[in-house]
Amino acid sequence: MDHQSTRGLQHFKNLVGIKFQLYNSLFTALPFHRIEKTGILLSLLLNNCEEGYKKKQSPVEIIEEFFSKHTTYKLPQERLDLLFRFIQYIERQVVLFDALEDAGFKEVHDTGGVGTLKHLESEVIEHKKQDELKEKLKTFAIRLVLTAHPTQFYPGAVLGIINDLSNALVENNAVQINTYLMQLGKTPFFKKQKPTPYDEAMNLIWYLENIFYPAAGRIISFLKNQFPDAIADNNPIITMGFWPGGDRDGNPFVKADTTLKVADALRGGIIKSYYLEIRRLRRRLTFDGVESILIALENDMYNNIFIPGQRTHLNKQDILDSLNKIKEILIYKHNSLFLHLINNLINKVNVFGLHFASLDIRQESTIHSGVLAGIAGRPGYLPLNYSALTSEEKITVLTKVQATVTDMPFNDELTTDTLATIKAVKTIQDFNGESGCNRYIISQCNSALNVLEVYGLFLLCGWRQEAMNIDIVPLFETVDDLQHSAGVMETLYSNEVYEAHLTRRNKRQTIMLGFSDGTKDGGYLMANWCIYKAKEELTAISRKYGIEVIFFDGRGGPPSRGGGKTHKFYASMGQNISNKEIHLTVQGQTVSSNFGTVDAAQYNIEQLLHAGISNDLFNHRHITLEKDEESLLEALAIESFAKYSSLKNHPYFADYLSQVSPLKFYSETNIGSRPAKRAGGSKLSFKDLRAIPYVGAWAQLKQNVTGYFGVGTALMKLDQLGKFEEVKMLYQNSLYFKTLLDNCEMAMKKCFFPLTAFLAKDEKYGVIWNMIFDEHSLTQQYILKLSDKTELMSDYPVDQLSIIMRERIVMPLLTIQQFAIMNIREIEDSLVNSPLKETYEKLVIRSSFGIINAGRNSA
C-alpha cells in the first residue's frame, strides 16, 4: 500500500470509523416510539446474524432465535413492530455514516493529489505542455447531466439533514449534532405518495444551487489563475445537463407544461444564485462607479424572480457586459481590489448563463412513429399512405416537410403533447438562451429513420431547416443496437439533408450509449465490449465523413450500469475513440454520494477533467487496445455472454427474481415518478423490466449478478486454452481492462451469499442460486489470480473498509427483508390468505431504503 493510501485509510479510521462508534451511542436517546433500548436489542440481533450465518441458519431461523432468546414478545404483531423500529434505527445509522464520510472527505482524499487539477498543473509544467493544454482547452468540456432515475432513496428532507449534519461534524459541534440526530429520529424516510416530475426537478435544483454552482466557480477560477492564457471565454469547460421535466421515456407524468415549468425553475434558480452573490459583492464593492452598476443588476434579478409577471428578456450577454464594466473600473480606478470576486462571478455566468443546466428532451422511438401516423391521418401534412411507405420513402418525405401543424389538439393525447413539447423548446430558448434546451434524445433508437422522424417532427412544428438549432441524439442501448449503430450513423451522414443540418451544427454529432440496458441484455463484459467497439466504429465512421462525434454515456451508479471508477475509463481511452468532450449522466443516488458536498463535487469533477485532458497530453498509447488485445477481450465477452445467457434463459429466472428478491416491490417505494416497467400488465416481462429495478433487486439480494456474472467462466475458458498469461499482460498493460475488473471487484465485494444460502437446496430455485454462487466463487478466484492480490479491492483500502463497515451496519436489515420475503412466499404457496401478508410486504419495502442507501451506488 502506498503512502497516500495508508494516510487516507488512517484518516478514514479516525474520522469515520471511530466517530461512528462514538456518535452512534447518541441514537439511544432518539425518539423511537414505544420501544425502549432499541439500540441494545439491535446489537443483539446483529450478533445473532453474524453467528447465525456462520452456522448456516436462514434469516427466518435467525429472527426466530433472536425473539426467543432476547425478548418476551410472542404475538406476531409485537414482533413485527419491533422489526419496523429496527429498520428506522438502521436507516438513521446509515445517515450518520454518510454524513461522517462527507465530513471527512477532504482529509481522507488527497484533494491536491493524483487526478486533481493541482496534479495536472505540476504535470503540465514538468513536461512543458502549456501550448498543448491551451489547444486542448479551446474545445474540451465535460457535461454532467443530472437525471431523476429512481435510485435516490433519501427524501429531500433527509438529504438536507445529511448536509447540515456533515457540516456540524466537521466543526465537532456536539450540540448541533445531537439536535440533528433528534430531528432525524422524527423525520420520515418513506413518502406515502410518489414525487411528481416537478418535485424531482426541484430536489436536483437544490444541488445545482448549493453544490455545483460554487464547485464549478472554484474549478474555473483555479484554471484561469494557473493557466490564464489557456482558458477561452467561449468554452465554459464545465456544463450541466438536466433530465427531470424533459425525460418522458416511459414516464406518462411528464407533459409539455411540466417541461416549461421546470425550465422556468432552472432559470429562476440561476438568477437567484446570481442575485445572492451580487448582494454579497455589494458589501465589498462599495467604490465609486461600481455600486450603481451592481444595484441595477440586482434590481433586474430581483424583478425577474420575485415580482409576478415581471419576467423580462434578461440575457447572459447583458449580465457579462455589466460585470466586465465593473472589472474594468476595478482594474483602472481601484488597484484591482476584490477583482477575484468579480472574476469568480463572471466565470459562473460563462458556465451557467440563464439556463443553469440544459434541459434535454427524451422520448422513445416508437412514440414518434405513432405520432407521425396520427398526423398523416389529417390531410395536408404528410401523404395519407405515409404508414405504408418504406423506410427510405418515409425519410424522403420527412426531410422535405413544408407544412406546419396548426389544427391542435389531436384526439390522441400523446400526439398532442409530443407536438406541444417540440413547440415549447422555442419558448425555453427565448427565455433561457439556446443552451436552455437544444438536445432531443431518442431512446431505443435502432435506425436512421428514428432520427429523421424527430427531424421531420421539428419541421412539422414550425422549425425551419436553416434555423433548427437542435442536436438530435440517438441513444443506442441493447447489444444488437450497439452492434448496428455505425451503420445507422453512416446512413444519416450520407443523407444530404441531415448532412446539411450537421454542417449548421458545426459538424458535431452527439451519440448517447446506454450502459444499463446493455448490461441487462448482454451481461457485464459483453455490454462493455459492445460499447467499446461501438465507440471505436462510430469514431471511425464519423471521422470518415468529417464529423466530430461527442459520446454521451448513460451511466448509472453501480459498476454494472457504467458507474464505479468512471474517470479511469476516460483516462484509458486512446486516439481511436473520440474524446473531445466527456458527457455522462449522474443519476439519483450518485448525485448525493459523489456530489453531496462542494468538496466532493469539486474533487470528482476534477477527476473527470484531469482524465479527459491528461488522456490527450500524456497518454502514450495511440489506441486503447491493440488488435491482439481486442481479440482477447472479444473472446472473453463471447464466453461471458454465453454464461450470462444460460442464467437469463433459465425457465425459473424471472420467477427467482420475482419471488426471492424485492423486485416486485420496487415501484411501491415511491422514490420516483417513473413506473418500474415500460409496459403495462401484471406479469413480469424481462424485456419490459427497467434496468434500474433489475440491478437494484440483485443488489438487495446481495448477489450483484450484473456486475460480474460470466467473468469467471470467461477467464477460466481462456486459461484452458492456454491464454491466461496473455490475459494477465492485458490486465497489466491496459488501464481500460484493469478498470473493468476493478469495478467487477467492487460488485463482488458487496455480495453476501450466506444471506440466501438456504436456497441452495431449494427444490425450485436451488439450481439458479448455485449457478450464481459458483460463478461468484470462480470469478473471485480468477481475478485474484490475475491481479496477484489476496483479497478483493485491496488496492482501494478506503473503499474496501467503507464497504465492510456499511455491509455490517445493514446486515440485520438484509436479514429482516429476507425474513419478510420468505414469509410472503410461504403464505402465497399455502394459498391461504393471511392478515400478516400486507405487513410483511411493508417490511420488504421499508428495508429497501437503508439497504440501497448504505450501498451508495447500488441501483
Side-chain angles (χ1 to χ4, degrees), residues 4 6 17 106 177 360 402 537 595 690 751 774 808 810:
Q4 178 52 40
T6 304
K106 280 187 82 169
I177 292 165
D360 288 339
Q402 296 294 323
E537 291 168 6
F595 303 91
R690 288 278 189 177
C751 291
D774 290 346
R808 187 168 188 268
V810 295

Side-chain angles (χ1 to χ4, degrees), residues 481-499:
D481 290 345
L482 287 163
Q483 289 172 341
H484 292 96
S485 58
V488 170
M489 295 314 299
E490 181 156 32
T491 303
L492 284 169
Y493 294 154
S494 304
N495 182 279
E496 189 178 322
V497 174
Y498 192 74
E499 190 270 334

Side-chain angles (χ1 to χ4, degrees), residues 436-480:
C437 187
N438 61 1
R439 295 205 303 194
Y440 197 111
I441 299 161
I442 308 160
S443 53
Q444 301 290 321
C445 182
N446 52 48
S447 70
L449 176 61
N450 289 160
V451 173
L452 291 168
E453 282 173 334
V454 171
Y455 184 86
L457 282 169
F458 270 85
L459 294 177
L460 286 163
C461 288
W463 293 70
R464 299 276 59 88
Q465 288 187 348
E466 63 277 3
M468 196 188 293
N469 55 358
I470 299 295
D471 294 323
I472 302 173
V473 181
L475 166 50
F476 301 109
E477 300 173 84
T478 66
V479 168
D480 190 57

Side-chain angles (χ1 to χ4, degrees), residues 169-184:
L169 287 163
V170 169
E171 297 165 6
N172 284 316
N173 188 327
V175 174
Q176 274 194 339
I177 292 165
N178 191 47
T179 304
Y180 293 142
L181 291 177
M182 294 287 284
Q183 179 189 1
L184 198 59

Side-chain angles (χ1 to χ4, degrees), residues 511-567:
I511 298 173
M512 188 171 181
L513 302 168
F515 284 74
S516 302
D517 281 293
T519 302
K520 177 185 149 227
D521 188 39
Y524 180 66
L525 272 187
M526 179 57 83
N528 279 280
W529 164 249
C530 285
I531 287 170
Y532 168 78
K533 282 305 289 180
K535 283 188 174 184
E536 187 177 53
E537 291 168 6
L538 288 164
T539 299
I541 202 70
S542 299
R543 287 172 179 169
K544 175 184 170 183
Y545 286 89
I547 302 299
E548 187 66 63
V549 65
I550 307 295
F551 291 120
F552 176 18
D553 292 342
R555 294 183 179 273
S560 59
R561 296 206 306 111
K565 305 294 179 186
T566 305
H567 62 281

